[in-house]
Amino acid sequence: MNNKWKAILFDMDGTITDTERIYNKYWNSCSKELGMTDFTYQDSLDLRSLNHEDSKALMQKRHGSSVDYDLLHRTVADRVSLYLQDHPVPLKPDINEVLSACHENGLMAVVVTATNLKSARERLSKAGLLSSFDQVISAHEAKHGKPHPDPYLLAAERIGLSPADCLAVEDSPNGCMSAIAAGMDTCMVPDLTYPSDQLKKRLYAVAHSLSDIIPLIEV
């Protein structure tokens, strides 16, 4: 049984659900539809898990008024919601096996997502995973979202644990920085990008897939 951690805290989009590609597609297509020609593919990557205020500030810094971030964000959110209403929620390989390993080793399993709570719970329910988690926590419930530590600190408080008792599993740099800043061991499972050398030094581990986390859980 694992004695290092008492809970595994999972990001959702790009970590549990294979939905970052859907968001990425609509960030890029909707920006073009709205005539925001300065919006780039790198912008869509840098917005992953980033809270609304910091996202807006980043876009204003890079593009000034050429990108109406509020309009773009609403449009993308609506398109992704409509898409997922009509399609199955895609899951990352081996998520069920990882959750089974958590339960078998007496570890709590918690979701800490940048997605709003209602949408997150709906998507996890549709995917048949909601009952597998002890808690679902949205960064919208915290004072500041990712990459600030608030979402993970809130999660630790909700489940009554110290951050040191938790392993965070994330796919994006912004999400990793949030968990690291909260004082949690953090494992990155890269989705659309790999960690920089600087970030890699601060991570507990980098896994090629979710299945690679199982040996960590069973230590």
Side-chain angles (χ1 to χ4, degrees):
M1 180 175 290
N2 187 293
N3 293 314
K4 184 171 180 58
W5 306 294
K6 296 178 181 177
I8 312 297
L9 277 53
F10 297 87
D11 171 56
M12 187 177 74
D13 296 293
T15 301
I16 296 170
T17 60
D18 197 7
T19 42
E20 283 291 9
R21 287 171 174 75
I22 300 171
Y23 277 100
N24 191 268
K25 170 188 172 182
Y26 283 114
W27 279 119
N28 288 281
S29 64
C30 290
S31 63
K32 291 181 176 62
E33 288 177 23
L34 296 171
M36 301 173 186
T37 56
D38 287 348
F39 189 90
T40 67
Y41 179 74
Q42 187 61 47
D43 287 331
S44 65
L45 294 179
D46 293 342
L47 290 171
R48 286 171 301 160
S49 291
L50 193 63
N51 68 84
H52 188 85
E53 293 79 10
D54 288 347
S55 295
K56 187 172 182 177
L58 178 65
M59 292 299 98
Q60 288 176 339
K61 179 179 179 181
R62 289 185 180 179
H63 305 293
S65 60
S66 64
V67 172
D68 183 342
Y69 178 75
D70 289 329
L71 174 60
L72 179 57
H73 180 268
R74 288 196 303 271
T75 305
V76 171
D78 289 345
R79 294 289 179 83
V80 172
S81 293
L82 287 172
Y83 178 90
L84 291 175
Q85 284 177 18
D86 296 333
H87 297 81
V89 177
L91 297 179
K92 283 292 188 177
D94 303 316
I95 181 57
N96 285 299
E97 288 76 8
V98 172
L99 289 171
S100 293
C102 288
H103 300 147
E104 289 166 6
N105 286 272
L107 299 169
M108 298 178 71
V110 178
V111 174
V112 184
T113 178
T115 298
N116 72 74
L117 186 60
K118 182 174 182 290
S119 295
R121 291 183 65 86
E122 287 175 350
R123 291 175 195 176
L124 290 168
S125 179
K126 185 175 180 181
L129 290 180
L130 184 60
S131 62
S132 296
F133 292 99
D134 297 280
Q135 289 267 2
V136 179
I137 292 147
S138 168
H140 291 244
E141 300 176 85
K143 184 175 181 180
H144 302 289
K146 300 176 185 182
H148 302 282
D150 303 45
Y152 279 101
L153 291 174
L154 175 63
E157 180 184 346
R158 287 267 181 92
I159 60 178
L161 294 177
S162 163
D165 291 327
C166 304
L167 173 69
V169 181
E170 280 275 358
D171 72 287
S172 72
N174 287 324
C176 288
M177 293 305 297
S178 176
I180 291 168
M184 295 184 181
D185 289 332
T186 304
C187 177
M188 185 175 184
V189 186
D191 182 31
L192 298 180
T193 55
Y194 286 86
S196 65
D197 290 339
Q198 182 178 7
L199 176 58
K200 196 179 296 184
K201 292 175 183 177
R202 302 185 66 187
L203 293 168
Y204 181 84
V206 178
H208 294 292
S209 66
L210 283 174
S211 62
D212 291 337
I213 299 171
I214 295 176
L216 300 179
I217 293 173
E218 295 178 339
V219 169

